[in-house]
């Protein structure tokens, strides 16, 4: 098995929850898309990241079934991990383009274009209870981000994410940064999102239309 680190990204206030992420720090040790796709499928995490140049923040992201140009939880986790390893980078470079990243108050942040967070349909439900009652996954096709206001005035959201990908490896995503970015852009306001069993994602909407995303990261 290729050496990799396992993180939990977007943990809740009590340290619970968080979406598992695999990070191969020596990305060049797994050359080529086919080999990386095989390893991502073998590991079975929502995403696996291959770090091709830690100093410049060049990364490559895979689900068990496909390569992604951008994804939120892999970039938050990888930014945290590279800083833990002494790389004081301020930008990550996935295929989609440069993604600024920084830390503040124990959170790892990034700023991204919502146009990169495509392929995820958001659906509002009348109450958090109805979101929680959904089967995993709900019937239908395509990536579904089910959400409801837990407290609209305070911008608190209850959400669950269902990839419904053909590979079927991940029935439910514990925490989904790209979907949080898409919802923030749709609502044009910063959000405090509780997703999955115990995860927390924070966002901020900027007048430029860009969205900032933040969360806590720990080793699994």
């Amino acid at each position: 098995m290729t050496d990799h680190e396992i993180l939990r990204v977007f943990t809740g206030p009590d340290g619970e929850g968080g979406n598992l992420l695999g990070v191969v720090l020596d990305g060049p040790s797994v050359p080529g898309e086919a080999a990386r796709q095989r390893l991502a499928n073998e590991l079975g995490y929502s995403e696996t990241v291959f770090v091709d140049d830690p100093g410049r923040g060049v990364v490559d992201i895979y689900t068990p079934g496909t390569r992604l140009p951008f994804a939120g939880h892999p970039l938050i986790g990888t930014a945290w991990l590279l800083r833990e390893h002494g790389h004081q980078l301020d930008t990550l470079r996935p295929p989609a383009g440069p993604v600024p990243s920084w830390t503040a108050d124990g959170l790892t942040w990034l700023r991204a274009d919502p146009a990169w967070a495509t392929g995820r349909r958001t659906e509002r439900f009348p109450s958090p209870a109805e979101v929680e009652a959904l089967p995993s996954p709900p019937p239908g096709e395509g990536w579904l981000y089910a959400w409801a206001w837990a407290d609209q005035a305070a911008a608190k959201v209850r959400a669950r994410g269902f990839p419904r990908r053909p590979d079927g490896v991940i029935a439910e995503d514990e925490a989904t940064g790209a979907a949080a970015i898409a919802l923030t852009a749709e609502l044009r306001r910063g959000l405090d999102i509780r997703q999955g069993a115990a995860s927390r994602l924070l966002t901020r909407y900027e007048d430029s239309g860009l969205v900032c995303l933040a969360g806590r990261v720990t080793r699994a």
Side-chain angles (χ1 to χ4, degrees), residues 32-214:
E33 290 188 27
R36 292 180 176 192
Q37 189 64 77
R38 283 194 299 272
L39 180 60
N41 181 267
E42 180 182 348
L43 294 176
Y45 307 124
S46 292
E47 280 93 13
T48 298
V49 176
F50 299 86
V51 180
D52 288 321
D53 186 335
R56 296 183 59 243
V58 179
V59 298
D60 199 14
I61 307 167
Y62 290 77
T63 74
T66 192
R67 185 181 188 224
L68 298 177
F70 172 84
H73 114 270
L75 295 178
I76 291 284
T78 303
W80 179 88
L81 184 61
L82 289 177
R83 291 188 179 101
E84 287 288 295
H85 281 268
H87 299 284
Q88 300 304 313
L89 77 168
D90 57 9
T91 303
L92 289 171
R93 303 180 191 281
V99 178
S101 176
W102 64 98
T103 59
D105 301 323
L107 299 173
T108 299
W109 286 86
L110 62 77
R111 178 182 291 109
D113 186 340
W116 295 341
T118 58
R120 295 162 180 83
R121 181 175 65 84
T122 65
E123 182 176 344
R124 180 181 175 183
F125 285 75
S127 70
E130 291 176 71
V131 172
E132 291 164 6
L134 291 170
S136 181
E141 298 181 356
W143 223 112
L144 174 66
Y145 199 55
W147 70 279
W149 288 115
D151 183 336
Q152 187 169 356
K156 293 184 177 180
V157 166
R158 176 70 173 107
R160 293 173 68 192
F162 304 102
R164 297 193 296 198
R165 297 187 184 108
D167 58 63
V169 176
I170 304 296
E172 180 169 351
D173 227 9
E174 174 61 24
T176 315
I181 289 171
L183 182 61
T184 298
E186 179 183 322
L187 298 175
R188 299 174 67 88
R189 65 183 296 190
L191 302 172
D192 181 346
I193 301 171
R194 304 301 174 97
Q195 185 179 334
S199 300
R200 185 184 190 190
L201 305 86
L202 299 173
T203 67
R204 187 169 67 223
Y205 182 78
E206 298 189 337
D207 290 341
S208 64
L210 298 180
V211 172
C212 299
L213 171 71

